[in-house]
Amino acid sequence: MSANVCCSNSVVQAQKLVDQLRLEASMERIKISLTAADLVQYCQDHRRSDPLLTGISASSNPFKDKKTCVLL
C-alpha cells in the first residue's frame, strides 16, 4: 500500500507542476527592451527627488542620532 501512496503522490505533484508550467507558458510577456526603456525614463524623471542621488539633509534625516555618545 505504501508504494501506491508514493506513486499517486508523485503523480499529483507532477500534475501540479505541469499545470503551473502551462499557466506560466500562457502568460503574455513584455519585451525587456521596452521595460528597460521605461525604467530608464522613470529614473530620469524622478532623479531630483531620489535620496540616493541627492542625499538627505541633516535636518530631515530620521535616522540621525539624537544625542552623541560621550565616554567619561
Side-chain angles (χ1 to χ4, degrees):
M1 172 130 179
S2 177
N4 288 341
V5 172
C6 178
C7 291
S8 66
N9 190 19
S10 64
V11 170
V12 170
Q13 287 179 344
Q15 185 62 41
K16 286 181 181 181
L17 179 62
V18 168
D19 291 341
Q20 180 65 32
L21 292 173
R22 283 185 179 152
L23 177 69
E24 290 177 14
S26 68
M27 292 178 113
E28 186 177 338
R29 307 283 180 185
I30 300 172
K31 290 190 175 188
I32 292 177
S33 60
L34 298 175
T35 306
D38 289 343
L39 182 59
V40 168
Q41 185 62 43
Y42 177 84
C43 291
Q44 289 176 347
D45 292 343
H46 294 89
R47 67 177 172 248
R48 295 196 195 295
S49 62
D50 189 342
L52 294 175
L53 296 175
T54 59
I56 300 173
S57 67
S59 62
S60 65
N61 186 353
F63 301 106
K64 182 179 176 185
D65 291 335
K66 303 295 183 201
K67 297 180 183 178
T68 59
C69 179
V70 178
L71 297 175
L72 296 175

